Amino acid sequence: MLSKSSQKQYLKKRTKKLLRSYHLFNEFENPEDLHKMRLEFKKISSLVTFLTLININPKLKKQLNAIRPIFKKAGLVRMAQLNLNLADKHELTDIEMIEMQNAVLDNHLMEFRMNYYDNTEKLSRSLKKINRGIVRISEKDIKIFYKNQINVLADLLKSADIETVLHECRKRIKNLIYTYRLMPTKLKNRVYLNVDYLDEIQEEIGEWHDLAEAIILFEKHDSKHIANIAILHIHSEIKLEEIQRLVNHFKIKVKAK
């Protein structure tokens, strides 16, 4: 069983960290604080998805959707920051592209900061409502949840066109990791997931995704670096092969002790 009190304590901790990171980002515009804020939201979202899929309280999803636009805007800010980092990392020299990304970043950043107080109020209100809707979850329901999610992931990872499903797989894997880690040790041992294996998969997919984003930037904005594009494509293909090797016999490995 996953107790009501442990879930509430987890949500309270995540909420405190989320609001703290938002406050720090609003004050100092440190990209790391924005990253931390979005990470806490993803952990909260994973808990709500977990509860909703087990059909504990479908209304919790409504409260999550009420604040999701805030994190979509945060994601746009983060994406502009990452694009500039990719341009710097791979020595992308297209001045027009860099200026455009800076303008995009400034516009999203200004809107995001202007709405800070309204957003903070919305976040606090919705997260309190989510907290009130939490109930305990039986071990049986938890085991059914993980079994179903592993089956879905196994099917997705067998896709002939695996590149099109990797982002969805990474989101599902992160949800499994976040929810598994909030459970007490005894329950973890009875349910058992090879979290290190799952974490390795999502890390590999993340690295592949960064390469894919770099390729898009090069191909759209800088024809001078054809050689770099070719090299990135090679690295992307190698990474994809590594992922396919890693996820072979996924259902066995994810339950292996």
Side-chain angles (χ1 to χ4, degrees), residues 95-113:
I95 301 301
E96 183 180 351
M97 186 280 294
I98 293 171
E99 289 179 347
M100 183 185 72
Q101 288 299 318
N102 273 311
V104 169
L105 175 59
D106 289 343
N107 288 337
H108 289 317
L109 188 56
M110 181 177 66
E111 184 179 348
F112 190 58
R113 294 192 67 194

Side-chain angles (χ1 to χ4, degrees), residues 15-241:
T15 299
K16 184 178 179 180
K17 287 191 172 184
L18 185 156
L19 294 174
R20 174 65 176 166
S21 296
Y22 193 9
H23 169 74
L24 289 173
F25 180 74
N26 190 60
E27 286 288 315
F28 305 109
E29 293 185 19
N30 184 335
E32 185 61 25
D33 290 319
L34 182 65
H35 171 66
K36 288 178 181 178
M37 175 193 174
R38 295 182 69 238
L39 179 61
E40 294 305 329
F41 176 73
K42 288 175 183 178
K43 290 179 179 180
I44 292 168
S45 178
S46 294
L47 174 61
V48 172
T49 300
F50 179 56
L51 295 171
T52 304
L53 289 175
I54 294 176
N55 293 320
I56 300 300
N57 187 349
K59 291 181 180 179
L60 295 178
K61 200 74 172 179
K62 180 180 178 182
Q63 296 304 324
L64 189 70
N65 289 338
I67 57 177
R68 196 177 292 279
I70 299 171
F71 293 91
K72 285 187 177 179
K73 180 59 69 175
L76 293 174
V77 174
R78 179 71 173 163
M79 181 57 70
Q81 291 172 336
L82 291 175
N83 284 344
L84 288 167
N85 288 340
L86 281 171
D88 181 61
K89 179 180 178 180
H90 297 288
E91 299 180 354
L92 189 60
T93 58
D94 191 317
I95 301 301
E96 183 180 351
M97 186 280 294
I98 293 171
E99 289 179 347
M100 183 185 72
Q101 288 299 318
N102 273 311
V104 169
L105 175 59
D106 289 343
N107 288 337
H108 289 317
L109 188 56
M110 181 177 66
E111 184 179 348
F112 190 58
R113 294 192 67 194
M114 281 177 61
N115 293 320
Y116 170 73
Y117 292 105
D118 286 343
N119 286 345
T120 301
E121 185 179 337
K122 287 178 184 177
L123 286 167
S124 298
R125 184 169 58 248
S126 289
L127 291 170
K128 284 178 182 177
K129 288 181 179 179
I130 289 172
N131 190 289
R132 289 198 293 268
I134 286 175
V135 297
R136 68 180 184 176
I137 313 170
S138 73
E139 182 177 325
K140 178 183 177 181
D141 284 336
I142 291 170
K143 286 181 176 178
I144 291 171
F145 167 80
Y146 282 115
K147 181 180 179 180
N148 290 340
Q149 290 300 303
I150 289 167
N151 286 339
V152 170
L153 272 168
D155 288 340
L156 286 171
L157 291 168
K158 289 177 184 174
S159 172
D161 193 9
I162 194 172
E163 292 173 81
T164 62
V165 300
L166 283 180
H167 184 61
E168 173 65 20
C169 289
R170 191 176 189 222
K171 288 194 296 183
R172 286 178 177 271
I173 288 170
K174 283 188 170 185
N175 283 344
L176 290 183
I177 292 171
Y178 293 148
T179 53
Y180 186 77
R181 284 178 174 164
L182 74 86
M183 294 191 295
T185 303
K186 286 184 179 180
L187 184 55
K188 284 181 186 176
N189 290 338
R190 288 196 291 270
V191 172
Y192 189 73
L193 284 182
N194 190 338
V195 176
D196 290 340
Y197 172 62
L198 288 173
D199 206 25
E200 186 180 1
I201 295 173
Q202 72 86 14
E203 284 283 351
E204 291 288 325
I205 295 174
E207 290 177 13
W208 170 82
H209 183 263
D210 287 346
L211 287 167
E213 290 297 309
I215 289 168
I216 291 170
L217 274 179
F218 272 105
E219 290 181 336
K220 278 187 177 180
H221 300 288
D222 206 329
S223 59
K224 299 174 185 176
H225 295 301
I226 295 174
N228 285 356
I229 295 173
I231 290 170
L232 287 174
H233 272 293
I234 291 170
H235 285 306
S236 176
E237 289 168 8
I238 291 171
K239 183 60 65 177
L240 189 61
E241 287 176 2

